[in-house]
Each structure stands twice: as structure tokens, then as C-alpha cells.
Amino acid sequence: MAYAETLPPSVLKLFRCFNACCLLLTVLVCLDILALPRIAYREKIISREAIYSTTRNRFTGRVYRTKLDNIILTTENFRFPYHRVQNFNPSEADSVRLVTTVLFKIVDRGYMRRFDEEMELKLGAGISGSTIFVPITFGLTALFGVAMRRNKEQLLNAVVVNIILIIIQLWLTGYLSFIST
């Protein structure tokens, strides 16, 4: 990649600072998700949005709506997606208790109270659950970019991958929720 050799020193310095900031952001996110205590909020449910899957029959061309996949609860401050498979009717409650992280307010768990019994809403893929690999990959790429500060090609590659991963990470944490709507 001969293009990396033609970059001016000011751009390379900016790339080095960007990788260092990405590494700092990763440390903060991992600290927030894994080490800091959680905060519980009682939120009023404003709306519920059901998400269905649609499939098209390849022979007849007809469109079928399949089973309900997820439900998104929109509360006063948060959006909480959860799986439809519950052992109670989640549309009966008017409020939900959300457990969030301290720094970035990432929703970790949700609970609904029904007949003096509190039941957990089964969360789908989330940043603190099955997609924890995204901040880990983001951090390893940022660490690689900081370590390769003298190699211009690898520095440029790390910056490009970090830009892609920061967009994915912000979308998973809910800060870029307008992309999916």
C-alpha cells in the first residue's frame, strides 16, 4: 500500500491519537460492563414495538409473516429489546425495572412485576452478553494500532478497522439507534 507512505506527518499523528483514544474508550467500556456496579431504574413503558420476520415463497412469490421475533419496549429514557419467548404476558405491565451500567447507561437486564412476582425479560444479543466480542475486538485493534505507530501501513489499517468497529459498537450500545429505524 504505497498510499500510506505519502501521508503527511500531521495525519499520521492524528491517526496515532485516534488509536490511543479508541484504546481509552475500550478500557472505559470494558470497565463499565465488567467491573463497575449496576444501577436500577424504574421506568414507565411508553410504547411496545413488535418485530416480525417476513419471508417470500420462492415458488409462488407470496409473502408470509412468520412468528414474532422480538419486542422493543420504549421507556422514558431507554429502548429495551427482548425475546418474545416468555412465561408470562409482558403486555400486562405498565412499568419495567431496568438494570443499567454506570458510565454509558447500557441496559443489562430488564424485569417486569406481575402479581407481586418479578420476572426477567430475556434479552437478545447485547453488548454485555453475546456480543461482548465487539469491544474486545475494538480494543485489540486499537492496541495493535498503538503498537504499530511507526509502521504507516498498519497504522492506517488499524484506523480504518477502528472506524468500522466504533460505528458497530455505538449501534450495539444504542447511541446510533436511528440507523435501525
Side-chain angles (χ1 to χ4, degrees), residues 70 80-83 121-127 129-131:
N70 290 312
F80 182 71
Y82 65 94
H83 286 297
L121 297 171
K122 305 288 190 253
L123 179 66
I127 195 77
S130 61
T131 57

Side-chain angles (χ1 to χ4, degrees), residues 7-95:
L7 292 174
S10 62
V11 173
L12 292 174
K13 185 176 181 181
L14 179 70
F15 286 171
R16 289 182 190 114
C17 291
F18 178 73
N19 280 326
C21 290
C22 288
L23 186 61
L24 178 68
L25 179 66
T26 301
V27 169
L28 287 175
V29 167
C30 287
L31 180 74
D32 189 32
I33 291 173
L34 301 174
L36 293 177
R38 305 284 194 251
I39 299 174
Y41 295 100
R42 175 76 49 189
E43 296 275 335
K44 183 178 178 183
I45 298 173
I46 297 174
S47 67
R48 293 173 176 87
E49 177 184 349
I51 299 174
Y52 293 91
S53 295
T54 57
T55 58
R56 180 179 297 272
N57 188 330
R58 67 182 212 187
F59 299 112
T60 62
R62 293 179 56 189
V63 176
Y64 295 99
R65 188 168 83 175
T66 60
K67 296 179 182 177
L68 180 66
D69 286 337
N70 290 312
I71 299 172
I72 297 177
L73 290 179
T74 305
T75 64
E76 296 164 337
N77 296 321
F78 301 102
R79 288 174 51 93
F80 182 71
Y82 65 94
H83 286 297
R84 66 174 173 83
V85 182
Q86 304 291 329
N87 54 359
F88 64 98
N89 187 2
S91 62
E92 294 174 352
D94 63 343
S95 66

